Amino acid sequence: MTSRTVTLLDVARTAGVSKSTVSDALQGSGRVAEATRDRVRAVAEELGYRPNSAARRLRRASTGAVGLHLPATATRLDYYMNLAFGAVERAQEDGLDMVLLAPSGAAGGRIASRVDGLLVIDPEPGDSAVPGLLDAGVPVVTGERYLGPATGPSGAVVCDNAASLTALLDHVTERGARRPALLAPSGSSAWATALRATAGSWGRAHGVTVTLRTVPFAATPAEAEAATRALLAADPAVDAVICAPDGSAPGVLRAAAALGRKVGALSAISASGPSGPSSASDVSGISEASSACEASGGSGGHSGSGGSGGSGGSGRNGESGQSESGQSEGDRSESGQSKGGQSEGDRSEAGLREGGRSEGGGPGTPRGTGAAVGPVGAGLLVASCVDGTATRSAEPPVTAVDLHPAAYGRACAELLCDILAGRAAPDTVRRHSWSLETRASTGSRG
């Protein structure tokens, strides 16, 4: 059947059923026995049958389009733009146009009349538009699982964000870090939830304090810089900073430079300094250092490839980085990071002022604090949960998790196309891979 287009009739003849039975079996409609439905789908797959999109639209009064909902901060982040391009490319291969939905969303019924299906990336339970989208009456595929109380999506594509953060923590530990810290995304996406949970579980398993600072899901470099200054002022023994939000790593590098910390290698003093949990942190494996950044945090999407996520997306443990394993919204802000400078709370908590050194402060002391932040030249490892232009072009280049966002977008669109065409069951969950890119910021050769 390779010399011409395989038709519905070809599938019917090979499967030994009527043409209408094949149509119902592939579309998931009609009263077709499960065994017959499985046989028809297997034959269609074997013959390489692809539905005629134009004919399908005429039969079903289809719109020939699918909708894409991204976190509100998505337009600022490389991760989501690359993801969107991948999704558009894959949808077009099935003859479907991609409609980008406004962040505020619309009533589910109105959306359903304009599209055949929906992609909802890094859905945040706090996003008021998401429940209506999931209950719009058309197939829905989410990029990362939705953790809120609403009708479940038709399918999902998930990353193991717990595993990706574990890989980062293992890596900086292998490079000599003894007191790692995480700038974790705020919000309740699967990505964000997974990252925060994994920091705690990894710390408990390894008997190491993981200092946690919560920053906006889409933290800007300025917000990441302020949070890092406050972090190192409060705990000079921190020798590795892992930042979650997409694009925020340059802010961590700026903070390190301002405090005289050498990025990419740990000095003998740093490497042999305090290690392991202390006081209350011994029990939880994580040191909560609440940041004023949290109060100013927003929601949005992952992680870079994410991101996933917690995209903020998304807390991800296990298959989706949520309760199954951990995500992760990354990410991607719950997908990324909100643009903007540091807040008054950031400055007051870090004890920073515009101006000179405080009385009694020495080298490596934040202005206005009088607290030591480790010796000038002490080493600091820096890594990111989301790879992208900001991490690759930084000086030094930053070790990061590549969530392969374009491929992730393709995977989400492919699952939606397969569900619409009857090639996949409505509740299918597929997994997306990530990779760790080691670079100079952790003393590694990229």
Side-chain angles (χ1 to χ4, degrees), residues 51-71:
N52 184 312
S53 299
R56 204 162 129 258
R57 285 195 292 272
L58 287 173
R59 288 195 304 271
R60 298 176 54 237
S62 169
T63 65
V66 290
L68 174 63
H69 177 77
L70 297 171

Side-chain angles (χ1 to χ4, degrees), residues 275-355:
S275 64
S278 60
S279 66
S281 298
D282 284 308
V283 178
S284 66
I286 188 164
S287 172
E288 289 285 353
S290 60
S291 168
C293 291
E294 181 174 12
S296 64
S299 63
H302 352 185
S303 44
S305 17
S308 237
S311 174
S314 324
R316 308 162 194 173
N317 241 323
E319 63 182 55
S320 71
Q322 318 150 327
S323 51
E324 297 100 276
S325 133
Q327 104 308 20
S328 16
E329 302 92 124
D331 153 238
R332 74 278 320 21
S333 334
E334 227 111 279
S335 84
Q337 299 101 282
S338 56
K339 298 289 186 186
Q342 94 186 26
S343 66
E344 288 299 317
D346 293 330
R347 290 192 291 272
S348 62
E349 180 181 9
L352 304 177
R353 288 199 201 108
E354 304 281 62

Side-chain angles (χ1 to χ4, degrees), residues 74-413:
T75 55
R76 306 183 223 136
L77 304 172
D78 280 352
Y79 174 81
Y80 290 106
M81 292 302 95
N82 286 319
L83 185 153
F85 287 135
V88 168
E89 181 182 72
R90 179 60 185 86
Q92 288 178 339
E93 292 175 9
D94 264 40
L96 296 170
D97 294 325
M98 184 73 71
V99 177
L100 182 61
L101 304 178
S104 58
R110 287 189 294 144
I111 291 174
S113 68
R114 302 200 303 265
V115 299
D116 296 334
L118 291 165
L119 294 179
V120 181
I121 307 300
D122 278 329
E124 164 65 44
D127 184 345
S128 61
V130 171
L133 295 174
L134 297 182
D135 199 29
V138 296
V140 179
V141 167
T142 59
E144 294 306 334
R145 293 187 183 278
Y146 178 62
L147 303 183
T151 302
S154 298
V157 179
V158 300
C159 289
D160 191 343
N161 299 292
S164 66
L165 178 56
T166 295
L168 283 175
L169 288 165
D170 287 346
H171 173 69
V172 297
T173 301
E174 289 165 2
R175 302 301 299 176
R178 295 295 177 266
R179 189 65 67 85
L182 173 68
L183 300 186
S186 62
S188 52
S189 69
W191 179 66
T193 303
L195 294 186
R196 295 195 301 266
T198 302
S201 60
W202 185 94
R204 289 189 294 273
H206 291 78
V208 173
T209 299
V210 179
T211 301
L212 184 70
R213 284 268 167 171
T214 304
V215 296
F217 187 84
T220 63
E223 289 169 326
E225 179 180 1
T228 303
R229 282 175 173 255
L231 167 68
L232 296 178
D235 190 353
V238 166
D239 52 12
V241 176
I242 298 174
C243 56
D246 180 17
S248 63
V252 178
L253 297 179
R254 288 202 298 265
L259 298 173
R261 302 291 293 267
K262 183 178 180 181
V263 173
L266 295 181
S267 66
I269 294 176
S270 176
S272 63
S275 64
S278 60
S279 66
S281 298
D282 284 308
V283 178
S284 66
I286 188 164
S287 172
E288 289 285 353
S290 60
S291 168
C293 291
E294 181 174 12
S296 64
S299 63
H302 352 185
S303 44
S305 17
S308 237
S311 174
S314 324
R316 308 162 194 173
N317 241 323
E319 63 182 55
S320 71
Q322 318 150 327
S323 51
E324 297 100 276
S325 133
Q327 104 308 20
S328 16
E329 302 92 124
D331 153 238
R332 74 278 320 21
S333 334
E334 227 111 279
S335 84
Q337 299 101 282
S338 56
K339 298 289 186 186
Q342 94 186 26
S343 66
E344 288 299 317
D346 293 330
R347 290 192 291 272
S348 62
E349 180 181 9
L352 304 177
R353 288 199 201 108
E354 304 281 62
R357 181 186 305 162
S358 65
E359 291 298 321
T365 303
R367 292 164 182 160
T369 65
V373 183
V376 172
L380 183 71
L381 305 184
V382 176
S384 173
C385 294
V386 182
D387 199 13
T389 301
T391 49
R392 290 189 292 266
S393 62
E395 184 52 47
V398 175
T399 290
V401 172
D402 189 348
L403 297 170
H404 308 295
Y408 190 49
R410 281 189 62 88
C412 291

